Amino acid sequence: MIDLRHPLAVLGARMPWQELEARVAHRFSRKARAGVAMPELDWFGEQVQTSERGSRAGRPRVPLRIMISLLYLKHAFNESDEGVVERWRDTPRWQYFSGLAYYEDRLPCDATTLVKFRQLLGEEGMQELLAQTINVAVELKLIKPQELTRVIVDSTVQPKAIAHPTDSRLLETARVKLVQAAKQVGIDLKQTFAKEGQTLSRQAGRLAHARQFKRMRRVIKRQRTIVARLQREIERKASALAAAARQALTQTLHKAARIVAQSGQRKAVDGQGKLYAWHAPEAECISKGKARQPYEFAVKVGMASTLQGNLIVGARAFHGNPYDGHTLREQLEQATILMQDTGMRPATAFVDLGYRGGWMPTTPRCASCTGARPDASASTKEGCSSGVRPLSPSSATSRWTTACSRSPCSPLR
């Protein structure tokens, strides 16, 4: 038996599942398939009619409630896609949260289905799920509505699951992807360089380990020549293909060209960022500042949470590794949109000193704290060492708060 007083059981009973399914169902609507043209002769010549085509939709899809529940459970318990489906099979309480009346000893879906579900859901769908989480927290009185007016905004990085991006590894990946793309569209290549490509990749690794960099650069140059040759051959033969086939090759050829160009020099080409992973072109090289790991390949992410209760009210990715202060406006705009059903909006934002210079005149109050208590009594201080100043002191809404290591948060007039 399941204790219905358990927090997960209570949350499952209070979540507006029907409203959630109605708001995201249009993203998973089945596309209508056109019929097959069948010629028919009559008194007036040939007449084209359509006959119904057999359904190729496959097996019925997994219920939306189960998929949405898996996303919540994945993030709530910090599980991977494989881990959350395995744990769902062994946990009756998780199955009750997903809407099942009886325990079933089976997997809800394949782990790869979660990846496809997130891609179809998109950014707007994920924001809708987060907004409903905020509404349920207010409805269950887990947080007071007034607490939504004070938020903490901070940035972090989301590491990508990529191997260390060496030139040799990227060139070998580009060669394999070019050969696969050519095979899919029906292009016959003179040579795929499969054996030579694998051999060169191993040689580059051994020579780098032996610190024989001059010989290693010659190997990488040969790899670059092979990829460029395959790229030119595919471009030449693709001119005789249909427009849809050429469109399918565009992204693959563009990535291969970027890898060839960036492997020939150390700096970025024409101000364009380097490609660090074939499957994750959005990854950036971000400085970590640690001796054991000076940098990491990730995407900058902004988070907004309430000061009391630590409820997440905003989360979004910022591509291109922008300055933290330039992301504050977009982060607060997202939090305002997600809170609109509650009737509240952020009035005070607490940030660290990494956001200096990015204050907005439209923000009623913004705090920058470095170790001081945000709820400390406000007392006017002069000569704060943080050096944060409002952009428009004459504006009535520009009441900024700053903090230094010697004084509590105090408003600057």
Side-chain angles (χ1 to χ4, degrees):
M1 298 295 293
I2 297 177
D3 185 6
L4 298 181
R5 297 171 296 179
H6 190 273
L8 197 59
V10 175
L11 181 61
R14 296 295 185 91
M15 283 289 290
W17 297 110
Q18 294 182 355
E19 183 179 355
L20 277 176
E21 294 179 10
R23 294 195 177 188
V24 302
H26 67 280
R27 300 180 180 275
F28 306 95
S29 59
R30 184 170 297 170
K31 304 296 187 300
R33 296 179 179 270
V36 181
M38 299 292 294
E40 181 181 355
L41 296 178
D42 58 5
W43 292 100
F44 302 98
E46 184 175 344
Q47 182 180 3
V48 179
Q49 296 182 354
T50 57
S51 64
E52 296 296 332
R53 175 184 293 178
S55 175
R56 299 179 182 176
R59 66 178 183 180
R61 65 187 180 190
V62 182
L64 283 177
R65 175 169 177 177
I66 293 181
M67 299 303 300
I68 296 174
S69 302
L70 289 175
L71 286 184
Y72 275 115
L73 296 171
K74 169 184 168 62
H75 293 284
F77 295 92
N78 195 22
E79 293 282 350
S80 62
D81 291 342
E82 294 80 4
V84 71
V85 295
E86 290 288 346
R87 191 172 173 184
W88 186 92
R89 178 174 60 180
D90 300 333
T91 310
R93 188 177 292 116
W94 283 23
Q95 297 189 14
Y96 178 80
F97 176 75
S98 302
L100 298 186
Y102 300 96
Y103 171 75
E104 299 182 11
D105 189 11
R106 63 175 179 84
L107 293 177
C109 62
D110 191 79
T112 57
T113 307
L114 284 174
V115 180
K116 301 174 184 177
F117 181 77
R118 285 192 298 266
Q119 292 175 351
L120 291 174
L121 198 59
E123 182 178 358
E124 295 181 1
M126 296 299 294
Q127 289 183 0
E128 180 63 33
L129 298 183
L130 183 56
Q132 293 300 327
T133 304
I134 300 173
N135 297 338
V136 172
V138 175
E139 181 184 353
L140 295 179
K141 298 182 180 181
L142 300 178
I143 188 171
K144 297 180 180 179
Q146 294 78 11
E147 295 297 337
L148 298 177
T149 60
R150 299 191 300 170
V151 298
I152 300 175
V153 180
D154 198 5
S155 64
T156 183
V157 293
Q158 180 184 6
K160 292 292 184 177
I162 62 176
H164 190 76
T166 61
D167 290 337
S168 177
R169 180 180 288 113
L170 288 175
L171 288 170
E172 176 61 16
T173 302
R175 184 198 65 80
V176 173
K177 296 297 182 180
L178 284 174
V179 173
Q180 292 178 354
K183 184 178 180 180
Q184 289 176 357
V185 297
I187 295 179
D188 294 331
L189 298 174
K190 294 181 180 180
Q191 189 176 356
T192 61
F193 301 96
K195 185 176 181 180
E196 184 180 2
Q198 296 175 2
T199 303
L200 292 174
S201 181
R202 289 192 294 265
Q203 286 181 358
R206 294 193 186 102
L207 293 174
H209 180 72
R211 304 186 66 83
Q212 298 182 12
F213 299 116
K214 190 172 182 179
R215 297 176 60 187
M216 181 196 69
R217 282 191 290 269
R218 287 201 298 266
V219 173
I220 294 177
K221 183 179 179 180
R222 174 58 183 168
Q223 287 183 294
R224 187 164 58 249
T225 303
I226 291 175
V227 175
R229 178 178 174 180
L230 290 174
Q231 178 189 351
R232 291 191 300 269
E233 184 179 357
I234 293 175
E235 291 176 349
R236 184 172 60 254
K237 294 183 178 181
S239 59
L241 299 177
R246 292 197 302 269
Q247 184 67 23
L249 291 172
T250 301
Q251 186 177 6
T252 302
L253 293 174
H254 177 66
K255 288 182 180 180
R258 287 182 59 183
I259 293 176
V260 171
Q262 74 184 25
S263 61
Q265 52 185 354
R266 297 180 61 87
K267 295 184 179 180
V269 181
D270 298 332
Q272 187 180 18
K274 290 189 174 182
L275 184 64
Y276 297 104
W278 186 277
H279 69 279
E282 69 278 2
E284 299 284 343
C285 183
I286 301 178
S287 176
K288 191 175 180 66
K290 301 291 182 66
R292 57 183 175 83
Q293 190 177 2
Y295 50 85
E296 55 188 343
F297 303 96
V299 175
K300 177 169 287 189
V301 177
M303 302 290 294
S305 61
T306 57
L307 183 63
Q308 299 292 335
N310 197 24
L311 176 66
I312 302 296
V313 294
R316 63 176 306 171
F318 298 99
H319 300 287
N321 191 18
Y323 172 61
D324 288 351
H326 298 162
T327 64
L328 182 60
R329 179 189 299 272
E330 298 181 17
Q331 189 65 63
L332 292 180
E333 285 179 355
Q334 184 199 35
T336 303
I337 295 174
L338 297 181
M339 295 180 190
Q340 61 184 356
D341 292 342
T342 63
M344 309 300 293
R345 59 176 300 171
T348 304
F350 295 92
V351 300
D352 56 20
L353 292 182
Y355 286 80
R356 287 181 297 183
W359 308 128
M360 306 180 305
T362 57
T363 304
R365 188 178 183 185
C366 192
S368 175
C369 300
T370 56
R373 299 194 315 274
D375 55 349
S377 60
S379 60
T380 303
K381 299 285 184 178
E382 295 182 359
C384 182
S385 61
S386 62
V388 180
R389 298 185 299 276
L391 293 178
S392 56
S394 59
S395 175
T397 59
S398 298
R399 296 181 57 199
W400 310 102
T401 305
T402 186
C404 63
S405 58
R406 301 192 303 271
S407 63
C409 295
S410 56
L412 296 179
R413 303 293 182 182

